Amino acid sequence: MFNLDYWEKRIGKDDSLKYWTLDHLYAVFSMTSFREMGEVALEMVRGMPQPVEQVCGPISSGGYRSIRANVEAFDATIRKLTQQGRVVFNQMPFEAPMQHLRGRSLLPLRKTKQKLLNDFYLPLFESGLVVKINCIDDWKSSSGARWEHWVTGRNGIERVYLPKGFHLD
């Protein structure tokens, strides 16, 4: 599922990944904590032209009922928004390493998911650098997306609700 080789081939060729370097990618695939990944994400977002947007939606729960299908919808949504000229933080290359860390965690699944949200996404949303989230349809089916929606609202981040099938057009 979207392994290192997949992303290596896309960096430098895909506009949705224009703020990624191979150094970022190799670092992320070798990290051992969500916090480390969050620090790289913040570094990347700090280097992006403002304003920065992000996509919110189901990945590990809800949505299209599989992580792979959810990641494909996420990726297509990010690419489409980027093609529209928007500056979108592409968090998708983090997903396989995140799933790997989730699988290795000794914490109960619920606590592991909360650690991911608190250590990776919360610092991004509290930084003031992400000014808008674009919610994929069916975002409400995901506990993580519902948490992101709540946190972004608390932090004054604009929330946009994309129409059903937005990524398919």
Side-chain angles (χ1 to χ4, degrees):
M1 176 190 80
F2 301 99
N3 60 19
L4 178 63
D5 184 53
Y6 174 83
W7 295 112
E8 281 177 322
K9 290 175 183 171
R10 284 188 52 194
I11 288 179
K13 298 178 182 100
D14 181 334
D15 274 351
S16 76
L17 295 165
K18 67 180 153 193
Y19 304 106
W20 276 86
T21 66
L22 289 175
D23 287 342
H24 288 132
L25 188 66
Y26 298 145
V28 167
F29 270 80
S30 65
M31 290 183 170
T32 58
S33 75
F34 299 129
R35 186 170 308 281
E36 287 178 304
M37 289 183 196
E39 290 167 3
V40 170
L42 264 176
E43 172 192 319
M44 292 175 70
V45 171
R46 282 186 187 110
M48 295 171 69
Q50 297 296 314
V52 174
E53 301 179 24
Q54 192 167 319
V55 172
C56 168
I59 293 182
S60 62
S61 65
Y64 296 98
R65 304 293 181 238
S66 83
I67 291 173
R68 181 176 192 85
N70 288 339
V71 169
E72 287 171 354
F74 238 93
D75 190 47
T77 300
I78 292 168
R79 282 183 292 156
K80 184 172 179 177
L81 291 168
T82 301
Q83 289 168 352
Q84 293 175 352
R86 318 248 289 272
V87 178
V88 181
F89 170 59
N90 190 337
Q91 70 264 40
M92 290 298 91
F94 287 97
E95 195 54 40
M98 285 178 176
Q99 294 299 328
H100 177 73
L101 287 180
R102 282 182 53 195
R104 289 186 29 225
S105 177
L106 299 177
L107 295 171
L109 180 59
R110 194 174 122 273
K111 287 190 177 193
T112 300
K113 285 183 176 184
Q114 195 60 50
K115 186 154 186 56
L116 163 62
L117 295 169
N118 288 336
D119 290 355
F120 184 86
Y121 289 102
L122 186 60
L124 279 171
F125 296 143
E126 290 183 337
S127 73
L129 298 169
V130 175
V131 300
K132 181 191 290 185
I133 62 164
N134 297 279
C135 300
I136 293 175
D137 69 304
D138 207 19
W139 65 269
K140 290 180 183 177
S141 67
S142 162
S143 58
R146 288 192 310 271
W147 178 90
E148 289 177 342
H149 188 268
W150 174 75
V151 167
T152 55
R154 185 182 76 186
N155 284 283
I157 296 170
E158 179 183 359
R159 298 175 289 191
V160 173
Y161 306 97
L162 300 172
K164 186 174 182 72
F166 175 86
H167 66 286
L168 301 172
D169 295 337

